[in-house]
Amino acid sequence: MSSLHAWEQAAAAACVPLAVKGVNRPVIEGSISSGSIGQVNLSAVSAGQHVAEHDRRAVGMTEGDYVLACLQLRGTGELTQDSRSAVVGPREFVFFDSTRPFKWILQSQFEQIVVRFPRSLISNRFPIDSALFVARSIPALTGVGRLVADYLITLAGEREQIGSSASASRISETAVDLLGGLVSEVMQCQSMPRSNLHEMHLRQIHHHLATNFHRPELNAETIAAELGISIRYAHRLFDEQPKSLGKTIFEYRLEKAAAWLRDPVFRSRSVEQIACSAGFKSAAHFSRAFRHRFETTPRAFRVER
């Protein structure tokens, strides 16, 4: 058990400076253990429900320019950065950036592995602006995600022995290569960065979706009209994204609904009410889509979680 101040000190050493708030308690039950392998720092974090914020003051206190990756092992958390939020469950990755504010809402007892590395390590290999991939949940149950997750779990467990080995630097670079490859896989990145205008419009669309997804009438056409861009251009912006604009809207609603279903705060709300709040026009349509996406019914999903 740690005081909030002690937890903030441990988090700053292992991750970045954070302002921590407990939920109904002035202490946090948990532990942070970390170690370095080359230029990569790996931390195993286990704790209870709390909120951790890297606000503008904390950004100014951060010594170094880091990209961070979190592999959630148990429990659920929500990371918000750049007006985008990602709900992260077991065996899912999320990236975040030390140079801009972010906020973690850890909703229950959780375990995670946090990897911190200098931005230069990944920017030299993969020329992708971090604003494009932070606060996006990335599954790690199959394919490249599983490969990277298994590698990091092994590294975290053996970090003391590996950290003192002659191969530490090479092993840490392999970890960054794998994380960069995961980002490339998800973003389908090109060899050259996107234009600033292209990037700006993508951010506008994601922000608009995050604040308006609850509206059933929201679709590609209404987003384009409300942002003052053509529908054809709106669709073209997503040509290099993992999913089309329409699919992105649909998936965002499903992910929000799933997060609410497993959040005790929303336990009193019916499945129909959650479906409506997430922007679905009917409970039947929501149930079909949810079953197709998560391979279970909304009610079963709520009980399982």
Side-chain angles (χ1 to χ4, degrees):
M1 184 178 296
S2 302
S3 67
L4 296 184
H5 178 66
W7 189 262
E8 288 178 343
Q9 288 183 314
C15 181
V16 291
L18 296 169
V20 179
K21 297 179 182 177
V23 178
N24 301 323
R25 300 186 68 187
V27 296
I28 292 179
E29 296 183 9
S31 64
I32 301 176
S33 59
S34 63
S36 295
I37 301 175
Q39 296 185 67
V40 174
N41 183 274
L42 292 103
S43 301
V45 184
S46 175
Q49 186 179 16
H50 68 276
V51 176
E53 187 168 5
H54 185 63
D55 54 20
R56 294 193 180 281
R57 179 174 176 272
V59 170
M61 295 168 57
T62 304
E63 297 180 0
D65 183 356
Y66 299 111
V67 174
L68 301 102
C70 170
L71 172 62
Q72 195 82 0
L73 299 177
R74 181 169 68 92
T76 302
E78 182 174 5
L79 174 80
T80 301
Q81 187 169 42
D82 295 345
S83 301
R84 185 165 60 232
S85 296
V87 175
V88 188
R91 296 288 291 198
E92 288 184 326
F93 279 104
V94 67
F95 287 81
F96 42 114
D97 190 311
S98 72
T99 64
R100 302 190 301 281
F102 63 79
K103 183 177 182 180
W104 267 107
I105 300 176
L106 288 313
Q107 301 165 345
S108 59
Q109 288 285 335
F110 71 92
E111 294 178 12
Q112 57 186 207
I113 293 173
V114 179
V115 185
R116 185 191 69 191
F117 51 92
R119 182 186 312 279
S120 59
L121 284 186
I122 196 168
S123 62
N124 291 341
R125 294 166 166 81
F126 305 93
I128 314 170
D129 185 346
S130 70
L132 296 172
F133 61 80
V134 298
R136 297 182 186 275
S137 59
I138 302 174
L141 289 172
T142 59
V144 177
R146 180 178 179 180
L147 172 67
V148 180
D150 290 346
Y151 187 83
L152 293 180
I153 290 170
T154 300
L155 277 190
E158 303 291 336
R159 62 185 178 275
E160 290 187 10
Q161 182 176 349
I162 296 174
S164 60
S165 73
S167 303
S169 178
R170 185 174 299 175
I171 291 171
S172 68
E173 289 179 1
T174 299
V176 176
D177 281 337
L178 287 171
L179 287 166
L182 177 62
V183 170
S184 298
E185 177 82 7
V186 172
M187 301 302 298
Q188 298 180 4
C189 75
Q190 304 299 307
S191 58
M192 295 297 291
R194 296 173 175 82
S195 70
N196 290 336
L197 183 62
H198 181 110
E199 182 182 319
M200 181 193 74
H201 284 141
L202 274 173
R203 287 197 198 185
Q204 285 180 334
I205 289 176
H206 283 294
H207 178 69
H208 197 71
L209 173 57
T211 54
N212 292 278
F213 70 93
H214 60 280
R215 295 163 45 199
E217 74 276 10
L218 189 76
N219 55 28
E221 288 77 11
T222 56
I223 288 177
E226 289 166 8
L227 293 181
I229 59 177
S230 72
I231 180 61
R232 182 178 179 183
Y233 176 65
H235 282 297
R236 195 166 68 244
L237 286 170
F238 284 78
D239 284 347
E240 298 175 7
Q241 299 295 303
K243 299 167 186 172
S244 67
L245 175 53
K247 185 71 171 176
T248 297
I249 298 169
F250 188 68
E251 287 283 320
Y252 193 94
R253 286 171 166 154
L254 281 175
E255 292 293 339
K256 277 295 181 183
W260 290 338
L261 284 170
R262 56 190 171 192
D263 189 336
V265 173
F266 296 92
R267 191 170 295 153
S268 63
R269 302 184 68 178
S270 68
V271 170
E272 291 75 14
Q273 288 173 322
I274 286 177
C276 180
S277 297
F280 287 91
K281 294 182 179 179
S282 73
H285 178 220
F286 168 66
S287 293
R288 287 194 300 271
F290 193 94
R291 188 178 190 115
H292 180 75
R293 170 67 174 79
F294 295 100
E295 298 182 345
T296 187
T297 65
R299 287 181 174 81
F301 181 88
R302 171 176 263 176
V303 171
E304 290 166 4
R305 303 292 169 164

